[in-house]
C-alpha cells in the first residue's frame, strides 16, 4: 500500500530530466512526463521539448530492439527470414532518424553480427527478399564511419565479387521481370531501384578499387545501362537522368570503354580544316624523350604541388596543354582537369620555380647574392647563412624548425632593426620561403611563433607559469633581437616523407662546405593556389563532375540541340512556385513541361522583361548562363533566383543553395542583401569577412555551439589520444638526433652494429684491462688523428665496415667515421619521418571527424556562402554536402579551375552569372594570357563562362545564354560609350534620364588632354604597378577639390580610379591630408605590399607619420584601381590614365575588358585625365571608332561664347594644377595642354 502511494506520488511529480529535454529512462521513468499546469509560453516550449523527447525515446526503443536482433543464432543455424526482414526494416527506420542513432547503426552493422545478416540475405534468403528504396542519409557521409562504411561495401562484394554477383543478379532479374508487366504506379519503384543499385555500385567503386579488374562488375554495369536506356516515358525520366549520372561516373572512374583510356598521343578530330600541327612533347612516360624530371607525370594525381630540385634544375620546358582539345593526351573531363591543373600550376608554382632557379644560378656564379627578380617579375628576398638551430615537435602544428641566418641589418641598433623588420613586413606568418643549398631544396611557411623582438621576461615568465608556453631560451629568438643573426620559425609546406628527411638531414649535420640560403617570396600565399590544385587532383582521381557533356565533351562532332533541365525539376508533377516574386500575390507557376510567359512575370514583379526571361531560362536549364552588362542588375537577378529556389526548396529537396564568389567583398555583399531580403538561415564559410551583419553566421561560430554525437566524441577522443602519443615519442627521437654526433651515441651504435670495432675503441684490451681516460671524447679524437698518411686512395666503405679500426689510414678513419654518423642519423631520421607520416594521417582523420559537426550545420542552412579559395580548401567537406544548386556570381572573373571545383558531385543545377566582356580572371604569367599573341594558345585567363558563351574561343561549343539589356546606372551620354562598342542592344531605363547635372561643371563627360610625360618613360613589363604621373596627380586633386567645394556630394559619391597601383599609392599619400580616403580591401592589400617593398631594402628608414585625416571638406572619397572597381559605382568618377610616352604604349589599358570597366563606373559624370595621343595610337578603345570620336569631340569643340572672360585661359597653356578646375568648367577646350 505504501509503495503504491509512493508510486502514485512519483507519477504526479514532474521529471526534472524530462523538463530539461531528455530522460534516459524513457517510458520506464517513475516520474511524470506530462506538461500540465504550465503557463502558455513556457508550456509551449516544454511541449516542443516533450515532443522531441518522446521522439528520442521511441528512437532509443527501436535501437534497443534492433540491438537485440544482433544476438547470433546457435552454432550451425541460420537466422530466419522473418528476423532478417525485421532487422533491415528497423535499420532503415534508424537511418532516417537521428544522426547519432544512424552512426551507431552503421557502426554495429559493420561488426561480425551485423555482417552475418548480409551474408544470410545474399547467400540464403535473397529469393524472398523485399525491395525497398532508401533516402540518402547524412551519417553515410560521416568521417567517423569511413572505415565502417568501407567494411560494409567490402563485405557485400565478397571473395572475388561472388556475393556482389548474387545480390545484383537478383535485383536485375527482378527489374527484368517488372519490365514485362503492364505499367502501373509501381513502375516508379522500378526506376528508383535501378537508380539506387547504380548508386551502390558507384560507392563500391570508391571503396573497393579491385572492381577495376573484377570480372563480375562489368556485366552488372552493362545490365543496369540497358535497363536505364530502356526507360523512355516521362514518369521514369527523373530517375533515368539520375541513373545516367551514376553510370557516367562509374565509367569515368574505371575507364570502362575505349574512350576513357590514356592515349599515347593527341586525339584527332574529324570535320575540321587542314592545318599544320607541330609535334608536342607529352608529359611523363608519354614523352618520346622520357620524363623531364622526377615530378613529370602523365597523371596529375602524382604531381607534387611545389617544385622538386630536379624540376627546378631541368632545362626542358614543362608540358602545357593548349586550347585545342583534340591535342589533349587525356580526353573528356579528365583532360580538362589536366589542362587547368597544369596551366594554373605553371602560373603560380612556375614563378617560384624560375625564381629559385635564378638564385641557384647566382650561387654557382661569382655574382654577389642579393635580392633578385626572376624573369617573370617575381620579387624575392635572399638571406644568407641559413641553418637549422633547433627543432621541436608540437601536437597541433607538427615539426617547428628554428632557422638561423645572417642579420640583414647587422651593425644597427635594436630599435632601428625592429622598425625595419616591422615596416618591410618581411617573413610574415604564413609567408612562403624556400631553403636552398647546392644539393637540396624544400619549401616552408613562416610559423605564427616568429617574432620581430622576443617578449619581455615578465611576459615569458607569466606564460610559462600559466602553462601556455614553455620557457625555452632557444625558442624566444627573434628577427631583430640579435645584432649578428636573425631567427625565424618555419613549418614544412608539404610534409611528405622525402621532404621531412631533407629537412632533418640539415639539422646538426657535419659541414659539407655548401652555402645555404633562405629565399622569401613576398606576397605569395601558399593556400591561394595549393588548395585549388589539390582539389583538381582529387577531382581527376574521382571525376564525378556534373555537366561533363557540356563543359568537356569527348567528341567535338557532337552538336548541342537542347539544354537539359535540372534533374530535380523533371520529376512528374513538379513546378516552380513564383508567387514569392510577385508584388500583387498573383499565383505564377513555371515548369519544364509548362513554361511561364516572361511577360506575365515582368508584369507582376519588379523584374524587367529580359531579367524575367533570364530567370525563367535559368530555372529551365541545368547549366544556366546569364550575361549582365554594366548596370543591368545581374546581382539583383541572382538574388531573385535564390529567393525563388528557396521558396521551392522543400518540394524539390534541394538542400542548401551554394553561393560562390571570387572575392570576400562580393560574397559579403551578396549574403548581406539576402539577409536584408529575409533569408535568415545563412552560413558563411571563411574567416576573412568584414561584415558585422554576418559575424554570427560564420561556420566556425555556429559549429562551436553544436553538440557532437556519442560516436563522434568517441572517435575524436581516440584520435586525440593517438596524436598525444606522438609528441613524447618524436620529441625523444629529435633529442637523439641532436646528440647523434656525441661519443656516447657512436659507442652505442658500434656496440650494437660493429662489436669488434667497439671492443677495439671502447672495450677491454687483450689483457682484459678497460681503457680509462679523463675525457671519453678524447678516445675518438685520438683515434681520428692517428693513422698513417699513405697518400693512397682510401678503401671503400664496404671494405672498411669490418676492418680493424687501428689498421686504417687517416683518410680511411675519416671516411668510416662519417659513415658511422650517417648510419646513426639515417636510422633516427627514418624513424622520425615514419612517425611524422602516421601523425599527419591521424591529424587529417581528426580534422575530418571535426568536420562532421560542420556538415550538420551546413545541411540545416538555406544558403551557404563561400569564396572560390575557401571552397577548394573545404572541398572534402562540401563534397559530402548534398546541395543540388550552385550559383556563381561574377563568373566571368573566375578562373575555370575555380569554377570546376565548385561543380560538386551533388550539383544538378549550376547558375553562372557574369560578363565576359568585363574583367577577365587575373593571372601572373603574361605568357599564358589571351591578350599576348604567344599566350593566346593557352588563354588561361579565359573563364569557363566566357569559353561556354563565346564561340570564338577554342576548345568548346557555344551554349545558349541570356543577356540583360536594360541598364539603370549610367546617364545615357555615358552608357553610349559602351553601347556603341560592345553592347549594341543596351537600353537605358529607370531614373538615368533624370540624373542632375554635375554641380560646378558645364559637362558631365569630359576629357582633359595633356602631354606631360609619365614619371618613368621606359618600357616595363605589362604587369608592373610602378607607373606614376605627377602632372595627373595634381590635376586629379584639383578637380576633386573643386567638386568637393560644391558641397553637394556625400560619402563615396566621388571616386578616383587609375589603372596603376603606383599612381594609387601617390594619390592616397597626397589626398589623405585633405580628405578621408576610402580604399577597398584588395587595393589595401596591394598597397601594403607595395609599401613594404619600398621599405624592404636593407637600409634604415623610418616612415613619416601619416598626416591628420581631414574631414572638413568631405567625409570619404573612394580610391581604387580599375581592376578592383568592377561591380562598384559612383556618382562622379575622375580617371587618371597615367601613361604618357613617345612610344604610345598604354600598358594595362590595352585590352577592351579593362576599358569597358573604366568607362562604365560613373552614374552622373566622368572626367578623364590623360594623353590622347598615347591612347589614340595604341588604344583598344579604337576597337570601335565611336568611342574615340565621342571622347575627342569633348575637347575639340569650339568655344561657344567669344566674350567669355575664360577664353584667354582656355587658349593658353596650363602651367600649374590650379587651372584644372577652371578648365574643367569651360564648355569646351580649343587646344591641347602641356605642362611647363
Amino acid at each position: 500500500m505504501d509503495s503504491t502511494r509512493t508510486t502514485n506520488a512519483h507519477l504526479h511529480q514532474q521529471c526534472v530530466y524530462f523538463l530539461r529535454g531528455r530522460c534516459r529512462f524513457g517510458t520506464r521513468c517513475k516520474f511524470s512526463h506530462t506538461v500540465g499546469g504550465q503557463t502558455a509560453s513556457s508550456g509551449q516550449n516544454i511541449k516542443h521539448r516533450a515532443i522531441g523527447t518522446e521522439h528520442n525515446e521511441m528512437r532509443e526503443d527501436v535501437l534497443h530492439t534492433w540491438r537485440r536482433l544482433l544476438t547470433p543464432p546457435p552454432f550451425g543455424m541460420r537466422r530466419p527470414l522473418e528476423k532478417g526482414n525485421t532487422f533491415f526494416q528497423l535499420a532503415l527506420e534508424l537511418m532516417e532518424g537521428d544522426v547519432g542513432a544512424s552512426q551507431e547503426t552503421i557502426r554495429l552493422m559493420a561488426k561480425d553480427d551485423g555482417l552475418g545478416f548480409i551474408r544470410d540475405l545474399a547467400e540464403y534468403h535473397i529469393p524472398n527478399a523485399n525491395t525497398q528504396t532508401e533516402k540518402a542519409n547524412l551519417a553515410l557521409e560521416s568521417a567517423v564511419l569511413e572505415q565502417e562504411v568501407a567494411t560494409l561495401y567490402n563485405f557485400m562484394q565478397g571473395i572475388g565479387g561472388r556475393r556482389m554477383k548474387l545480390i545484383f543478379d537478383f535485383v536485375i532479374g527482378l527489374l527484368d521481370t517488372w519490365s514485362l508487366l503492364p505499367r502501373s504506379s509501381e513502375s516508379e519503384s522500378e526506376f528508383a531501384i535501378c537508380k539506387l543499385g547504380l548508386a551502390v555500385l558507384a560507392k563500391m567503386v570508391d571503396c573497393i578499387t579491385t572492381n577495376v579488374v573484377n570480372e563480375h562488375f562489368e556485366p552488372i554495369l552493362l545490365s543496369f545501362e540497358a535497363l536505364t536506356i530502356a526507360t523512355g516515358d516521362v514518369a521514369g525520366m527523373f530517375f533515368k537522368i539520375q541513373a545516367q549520372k551514376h553510370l557516367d561516373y562509374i565509367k569515368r572512374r574505371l575507364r570502362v570503354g575505349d574512350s576513357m583510356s590514356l592515349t599515347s598521343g593527341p586525339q584527332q578530330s574529324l570535320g575540321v580544316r587542314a592545318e599544320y600541327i607541330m609535334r608536342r612533347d607529352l608529359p611523363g612516360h608519354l614523352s618520346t624523350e622520357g620524363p623531364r624530371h622526377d615530378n613529370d607525370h602523365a597523371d596529375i594525381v602524382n604531381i607534387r604541388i611545389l617544385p622538386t630540385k630536379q624540376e627546378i634544375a631541368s632545362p626542358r620546358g614543362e608540358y602545357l596543354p593548349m586550347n585545342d582539345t583534340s591535342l589533349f593526351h587525356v580526353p573528356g573531363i579528365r583532360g580538362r582537369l589536366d589542362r587547368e591543373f597544369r596551366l594554373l600550376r605553371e602560373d603560380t608554382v612556375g614563378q617560384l620555380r624560375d625564381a629559385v632557379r635564378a638564385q641557384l644560378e647566382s650561387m654557382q656564379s661569382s655574382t654577389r647574392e642579393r635580392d633578385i627578380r626572376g624573369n617573370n617579375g617575381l620579387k624575392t628576398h635572399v638571406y644568407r647563412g641559413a641553418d637549422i638551430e633547433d627543432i621541436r615537435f608540437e601536437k597541433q602544428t607538427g615539426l617547428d624548425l628554428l632557422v638561423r641566418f645572417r642579420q640583414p641589418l647587422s651593425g644597427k641598433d635594436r630599435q632601428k632593426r625592429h622598425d625595419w623588420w616591422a615596416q618591410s613586413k618581411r617573413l610574415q606568418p604564413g609567408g612562403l620561403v624556400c631553403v636552398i643549398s647546392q644539393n637540396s631544396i624544400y619549401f616552408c611557411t613562416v610559423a605564427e611563433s616568429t617574432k620581430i623582438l622576443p617578449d619581455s621576461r615578465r611576459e615569458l615568465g607569466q606564460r610559462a607559469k600559466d602553462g601556455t608556453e614553455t620557457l625555452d631560451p632557444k625558442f624566444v629568438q627573434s628577427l631583430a633581437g640579435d645584432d649578428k643573426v636573425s631567427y625565424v620559425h618555419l613549418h614544412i609546406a608539404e610534409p611528405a616523407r622525402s621532404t621531412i628527411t631533407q629537412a632533418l638531414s640539415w639539422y646538426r649535420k657535419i659541414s659539407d662546405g655548401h652555402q645555404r640560403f633562405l629565399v622569401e617570396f613576398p606576397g605569395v600565399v601558399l593556400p591561394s593556389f595549393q588548395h585549388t590544385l589539390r582539389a583538381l587532383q582529387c577531382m581527376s582521381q574521382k571525376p564525378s563532375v556534373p555537366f561533363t557533356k557540356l563543359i568537356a565533351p569527348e567528341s567535338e562532332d557532337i552538336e548541342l540541340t537542347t539544354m537539359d533541365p535540372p534533374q530535380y525539376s523533371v520529376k512528374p508533377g513538379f513546378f516552380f512556385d513564383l508567387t514569392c516574386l510577385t508584388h500583387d500575390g498573383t499565383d505564377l507557376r513555371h515548369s519544364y513541361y509548362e513554361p511561364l510567359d516572361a511577360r506575365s512575370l515582368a508584369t507582376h514583379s519588379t523584374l524587367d522583361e529580359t531579367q524575367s526571361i533570364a530567370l525563367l531560362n535559368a530555372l529551365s536549364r541545368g547549366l544556366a548562363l546569364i550575361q549582365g552588362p554594366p548596370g543591368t542588375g545581374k546581382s539583383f537577378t541572382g538574388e531573385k533566383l535564390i529567393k525563388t529556389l528557396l521558396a521551392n526548396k522543400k518540394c524539390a529537396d534541394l538542400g542548401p543553395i551554394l553561393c560562390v564568389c571570387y572575392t570576400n567583398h562580393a560574397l559579403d555583399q551578396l549574403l548581406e542583401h539576402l539577409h536584408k531580403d529575409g533569408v535568415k538561415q545563412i552560413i558563411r564559410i571563411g574567416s576573412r569577412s568584414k561584415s558585422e551583419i554576418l559575424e554570427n553566421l560564420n561556420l566556425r561560430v555556429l559549429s562551436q555551439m553544436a553538440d557532437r554525437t556519442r560516436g563522434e566524441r568517441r572517435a575524436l577522443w581516440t584520435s586525440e589520444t593517438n596524436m598525444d602519443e606522438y609528441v613524447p615519442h618524436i620529441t625523444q627521437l629529435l633529442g637523439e638526433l641532436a646528440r647523434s654526433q656525441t661519443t656516447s651515441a657512436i659507442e652505442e651504435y658500434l656496440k650494437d652494429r660493429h662489436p669488434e670495432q667497439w671492443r677495439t675503441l671502447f672495450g677491454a684490451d687483450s689483457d682484459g684491462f678497460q681503457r680509462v681516460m679523463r675525457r671519453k671524447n678524447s678516445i675518438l679524437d685520438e683515434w681520428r688523428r692517428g693513422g698513417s698518411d699513405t697518400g693512397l686512395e682510401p678503401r671503400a666503405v664496404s671494405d672498411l665496415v669490418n676492418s680493424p679500426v687501428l689498421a686504417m689510414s687517416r683518410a680511411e678513419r675519416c671516411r668510416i667515421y662519417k659513415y658511422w654518423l650517417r648510419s646513426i642519423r639515417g636510422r633516427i631520421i627514418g624513424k622520425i619521418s615514419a612517425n611524422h607520416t602516421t601523425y599527419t594521417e591521424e591529424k587529417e582523420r581528426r580534422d575530418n571527424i571535426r568536420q562532421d559537426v560542420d556538415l550538420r550545420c551546413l545541411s540545416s542552412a538555406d544558403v551557404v556562402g563561400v569564396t572560390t579559395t575557401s571552397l577548394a580548401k573545404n572541398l572534402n567537406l562540401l563534397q559530402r554536402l548534398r546541395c543540388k544548386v550552385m550559383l556563381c556570381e561574377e563568373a566571368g572573373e573566375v578562373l575555370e579551375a575555380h569554377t570546376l571545383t565548385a561543380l560538386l558531385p551533388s550539383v544538378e543545377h549550376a547558375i553562372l552569372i557574369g560578363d565576359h566582356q568585363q574583367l577577365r580572371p587575373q593571372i601572373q604569367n603574361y605568357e599564358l594570357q589571351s591578350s599576348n599573341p604567344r599566350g593566346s594558345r593557352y588563354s588561361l585567363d579565359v573563364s569557363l563562362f566566357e569559353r561556354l558563351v563565346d564561340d570564338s574561343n577554342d576548345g568548346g561549343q557555344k551554349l545558349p545564354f541570356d543577356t540583360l539589356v536594360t541598364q539603370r546606372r549610367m546617364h545615357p551620354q555615358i552608357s553610349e560609350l559602351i553601347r556603341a562598342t560592345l553592347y549594341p542592344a543596351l537600353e537605358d531605363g529607370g531614373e538615368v534620364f533624370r540624373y542632375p547635372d554635375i554641380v560646378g561643371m558645364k559637362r558631365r563627360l569630359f576629357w582633359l588632354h595633356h602631354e606631360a610625360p609619365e614619371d618613368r618613360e621606359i618600357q616595363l613589363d605589362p604587369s608592373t604597378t610602378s607607373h606614376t604621373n605627377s602632372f595627373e596627380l595634381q590635376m586629379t586633386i584639383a578637380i576633386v577639390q573643386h567638386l568637393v567645394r560644391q558641397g553637394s556630394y556625400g560619402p563615396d559619391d566621388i571616386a578616383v580610379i587609375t589603372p596603376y597601383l603606383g599612381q594609387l599609392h601617390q594619390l592616397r599619400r597626397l589626398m589623405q591630408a585633405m580628405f578621408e580616403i576610402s580604399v577597398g580591401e584588395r587595393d589595401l592589400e596591394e598597397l601594403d605590399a607595395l609599401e613594404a617593398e619600398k621599405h624592404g631594402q636593407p637600409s634604415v628608414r623610418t616612415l613619416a607619420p601619416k598626416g591628420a585625416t581631414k574631414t572638413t571638406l568631405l567625409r570619404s572619397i573612394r580610391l581604387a584601381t580599375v581592376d578592383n572597381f568592377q561591380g562598384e559605382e559612383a556618382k562622379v568618377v575622375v580617371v587618371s590614365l597615367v601613361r604618357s610616352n613617345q612610344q604610345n604604349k598604354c600598358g594595362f589599358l590595352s585590352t577592351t575588358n579593362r576599358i569597358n570597366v573604366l568607362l562604365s563606373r560613373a552614374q552622373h559624370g566622368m572626367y578623364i585625365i590623360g594623353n590622347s595621343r598615347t591612347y589614340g595610337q595604341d588604344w583598344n578603345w579604337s576597337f570601335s571608332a565611336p568611342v574615340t570620336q565621342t571622347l575627342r569631340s569633348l575637347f575639340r569643340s569650339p568655344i561657344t561664347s567669344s566674350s567669355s572672360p575664360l577664353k584667354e585661359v582656355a587658349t593658353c597653356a596650363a602651367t600649374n594644377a590650379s587651372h584644372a578646375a577652371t578648365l574643367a568648367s569651360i564648355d569646351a577646350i580649343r587646344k591641347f595642354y602641356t605642362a611647363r
Side-chain angles (χ1 to χ4, degrees), residues 22 27 67 93 167 207 582 696 769 865 882 1035 1113:
R22 182 165 184 171
T27 56
R67 277 175 174 163
E93 182 179 343
I167 295 175
C207 295
T582 62
N696 294 325
F769 292 97
R882 298 182 181 276
M1035 284 289 188
L1113 294 179

Side-chain angles (χ1 to χ4, degrees), residues 334-347:
R334 288 180 184 271
R336 179 58 58 179
L337 294 171
D338 178 275
R339 175 190 185 273
E340 300 307 322
F341 174 88
R342 294 181 190 275
L343 293 184
L344 179 60
R345 185 174 183 272
E346 180 66 18
D347 182 56

Side-chain angles (χ1 to χ4, degrees), residues 833-844:
S833 300
N835 278 273
H836 196 278
T837 300
T838 54
Y839 154 79
T840 303
E841 294 171 353
E842 190 63 48
K843 183 175 181 292
E844 183 178 351

Side-chain angles (χ1 to χ4, degrees), residues 796-898:
V797 170
S798 58
D799 297 329
L800 296 175
V801 288
N802 296 317
S803 300
V805 293
L806 298 179
M808 297 178 186
S809 66
R810 187 176 303 169
E812 289 174 341
R813 294 182 184 193
C814 181
R815 173 171 289 187
I816 195 64
Y817 178 76
K818 290 183 178 180
Y819 167 75
W820 292 341
L821 293 181
R822 287 197 304 269
S823 299
I824 295 170
R825 292 171 57 82
R827 179 181 58 86
I828 300 172
I829 290 174
K831 289 183 179 180
I832 296 175
S833 300
N835 278 273
H836 196 278
T837 300
T838 54
Y839 154 79
T840 303
E841 294 171 353
E842 190 63 48
K843 183 175 181 292
E844 183 178 351
R845 172 172 167 78
R846 190 273 312 267
D847 295 341
N848 289 337
I849 293 171
R850 287 179 172 178
Q851 285 185 345
D852 281 1
V853 174
D854 297 342
L855 182 61
R856 286 204 300 281
C857 293
L858 294 175
S859 299
S860 63
D862 287 336
V863 173
V864 173
V866 63
T867 62
T868 53
T869 302
S870 291
L871 188 148
K873 180 180 179 181
N874 296 276
L875 185 64
N876 182 48
L877 169 65
L878 293 172
Q879 282 185 335
R880 294 186 283 152
L881 181 67
R882 298 182 181 276
C883 58
K884 296 182 180 180
V885 181
M886 185 276 290
L887 183 142
C888 179
E889 275 216 342
E890 295 294 357
E893 199 179 356
V894 180
L895 283 169
E896 179 163 353
H898 292 157

Side-chain angles (χ1 to χ4, degrees), residues 33-59:
H33 284 189
T34 60
V35 294
Q38 302 293 330
T39 62
S41 59
S42 63
Q44 186 68 21
N45 293 334
I46 294 175
K47 180 179 179 181
H48 286 301
R49 279 194 304 229
I51 293 173
T53 303
E54 290 174 0
H55 180 74
N56 289 336
E57 290 172 0
M58 293 174 61
R59 188 70 57 194

Side-chain angles (χ1 to χ4, degrees), residues 85 314 338 429 442 504 544 633 1058:
N85 287 340
S314 174
D338 178 275
Y442 58 93
L504 293 175
S544 182
T1058 178

Side-chain angles (χ1 to χ4, degrees), residues 750 754-761 802 805:
L750 291 176
H754 307 287
E756 289 298 329
Q757 294 177 341
W758 170 80
R759 275 192 287 269
T760 303
L761 292 176
N802 296 317
V805 293

